Amino acid sequence: MRVRTTSAVAGVSALLLLSGCGAADMTRQASPFAGARGARTVTLSVQSWVGAQSNVAVAQYLLEHELDYRVDTVQVDEVPAWDALSQGRVDAILEDWGHPDQEKRYVEDKGTIAPGGDLGVTGHIGWYVPTYFAKEHPDVTDWKNLDKYADRLRTPESGGKGQLLDGSPSYVTNDKALVDNLHLNYQVVFAGSEAAQITQMKQFAKEKKPFLTYWYSPQWLFEKVPLTEVKLPAYKEGCDADAAKVACAYPHTPLKKYLNAEFAKSGGRAAAFLKKFRWTTEDQNEVSLMIADDRLTPQEAAKKWVERHRSTWRPWLAS
C-alpha cells in the first residue's frame, strides 16, 4: 500500500491469490522463465491484495492470448519485490503504492529499474468505521473523538484499549506511530492478511458491531460493507518523512508500474504492452469482485473482463 515504512492488493492458484498479504518472501524462488534468452516469456510480481492480483490476471491473459507470451508469476511482498525486479528475477511490478527509498536507490542511483508509467488508479489508505456506526455517531468520523468510543471498540485482542484493525504487518502502514503520536487509547491489531481482515470486517458488519479499521481504496469490499473514513490530521507534503513521528493522514497516491530496466529496453511487445496497460478504479474493482466475491478464478475473471472491454485494452496492444 503506501507510505515510508514496510511494517507496509494471475497465474497463481486461487488459494495463493486469496490468502492475503503476509506471504513468505518468494524473491529467491525466481521464475524459471526469467531471463531466458530468446524465449517469449514474462515474469510478473504479484502482490497479495486482490486489486493487484486483478492487474496481473488481466495482463497475463492478454499477454498469453493476444501476444503469445508465456507468463509466470511470483508472489513477493512490497519491498522485496523491488530487489527481485532490480535483479531480474521478475520483469514488472504492476501496482506500487509509493516507495521513495527504493525508487531513489534502484531508479535514480543504480538505474536497474525503469518507471513503467501510471496504472491509472489512485490509491488511498485511511481509517474507517462502518457507515451504520457513523450515522448513529457522526462525531466518530473526527479522530479527536475516537477515544470517546474506545470502550465500544475494545476486543479481547486489544486488551483494555480500543482496537484498530490492520491487515498484514508487511503492508505499508503508519498506524502504530499515529496511535502513539495522536495519544489515542487504541491498540493496533493485525489480522494477518487482507483475506483475514475482510473476514473479520464482514462478520462485524453482519452483527452490526462497531469497528475501526485500516483500509484502502480501490477495494471491492466498499460495495459490500459501506465504510466511512475517519478524518485524521490533514496530510501535508513531508509530514510522513520520519516514520516514528508521523501524525498526519495518508496521502492520495497515483499507483505506478515499474519494469526491470533491461526488460524495459529489450522486452519487445511485452514491455511495450505493460507500459501502455492503464485502466480505471472501476475496471480493477470489476475484476476484483469476480475473484474475491463471485469466487471466479483469476483467469476466469480476466477472461470475462477482456470480453466486455475490448475498446479499453485494444490500444494497449498497438505497436
Side-chain angles (χ1 to χ4, degrees):
M1 303 357 170
R2 165 67 193 99
V3 185
R4 313 271 194 232
T5 71
T6 57
S7 72
V9 281
V12 185
S13 69
L15 175 61
L16 174 61
L17 286 172
L18 294 177
S19 63
C21 283
D25 173 15
M26 299 293 285
T27 56
R28 298 191 180 280
Q29 186 177 315
S31 162
F33 313 122
R37 293 186 179 276
R40 291 175 59 83
T41 63
V42 180
T43 304
L44 301 178
S45 171
V46 55
Q47 281 71 41
S48 57
W49 57 91
V50 71
Q53 294 157 6
S54 298
N55 306 325
V56 171
V58 170
Q60 178 178 6
Y61 187 90
L62 290 170
L63 282 165
E64 292 180 340
H65 290 82
E66 297 293 328
L67 296 179
D68 197 29
Y69 280 82
R70 182 171 181 174
V71 179
D72 188 41
T73 62
V74 181
Q75 183 168 342
V76 195
D77 284 340
E78 290 180 78
V79 172
W82 281 77
D83 299 327
L85 187 62
S86 174
Q87 295 165 18
R89 292 180 177 141
V90 298
D91 294 316
I93 295 171
L94 299 186
E95 181 173 311
D96 182 79
W97 283 65
H99 292 87
D101 292 343
Q102 282 68 34
E103 186 175 353
K104 183 178 187 308
R105 179 181 181 187
Y106 293 120
V107 178
E108 298 176 16
D109 296 344
K110 289 189 170 186
T112 54
I113 292 177
D118 288 343
L119 176 64
V121 176
T122 296
H124 176 60
I125 295 169
W127 290 2
Y128 292 85
V129 293
T131 299
Y132 55 77
F133 188 62
K135 287 180 177 179
E136 293 176 2
H137 306 280
D139 62 335
V140 76
T141 60
D142 186 331
W143 71 270
K144 296 177 182 177
N145 298 319
L146 284 175
D147 275 356
K148 175 180 174 182
Y149 297 97
D151 285 346
R152 295 195 61 182
L153 298 172
R154 186 171 56 199
T155 68
E157 292 75 21
S158 66
K161 299 182 178 182
Q163 174 175 279
L164 171 56
L165 181 64
D166 272 45
S168 166
S170 71
Y171 288 178
V172 174
T173 171
N174 290 330
D175 284 359
K176 287 186 176 180
L178 280 167
V179 167
D180 290 342
N181 296 327
L182 297 178
H183 309 292
L184 295 173
N185 187 30
Y186 282 79
Q187 176 69 40
V188 176
V189 176
F190 290 99
S193 69
E194 181 186 70
Q197 188 177 7
I198 287 173
T199 296
Q200 289 194 33
M201 292 164 67
K202 289 174 76 173
Q203 185 60 38
F204 283 139
K206 182 179 180 180
E207 299 173 3
K208 292 296 183 183
K209 289 183 177 180
F211 61 90
L212 174 66
T213 189
Y214 163 108
W215 205 233
Y216 37 86
S217 62
Q219 226 294 335
W220 63 271
L221 188 67
F222 284 103
E223 297 189 29
K224 299 296 181 178
V225 180
L227 300 170
T228 300
E229 187 169 5
V230 174
K231 293 181 180 178
L232 294 169
Y235 176 83
K236 295 180 181 179
E237 188 67 32
C239 69
D240 55 355
D242 186 335
K245 297 180 179 179
V246 177
C248 61
Y250 294 89
H252 289 78
T253 305
L255 305 183
K256 297 184 181 296
K257 300 167 292 173
Y258 288 92
L259 309 182
N260 172 271
E262 182 60 32
F263 173 75
K265 290 187 292 184
S266 61
R269 292 193 70 190
F273 161 78
L274 292 173
K275 291 174 186 176
K276 292 177 181 177
F277 184 105
R278 181 184 174 94
W279 62 352
T280 66
T281 295
E282 291 72 25
D283 290 324
Q284 189 187 88
N285 279 341
E286 182 179 341
V287 179
S288 296
L289 270 166
M290 288 190 280
I291 295 172
D293 199 54
D294 297 340
R295 302 300 182 186
L296 272 63
T297 68
Q299 294 85 358
E300 291 169 341
K303 183 175 186 292
K304 281 184 174 291
W305 185 89
V306 166
E307 290 171 347
R308 296 170 183 169
H309 298 278
R310 187 177 180 85
S311 63
T312 299
W313 57 261
R314 285 299 301 175
W316 305 345
L317 303 179
S319 300

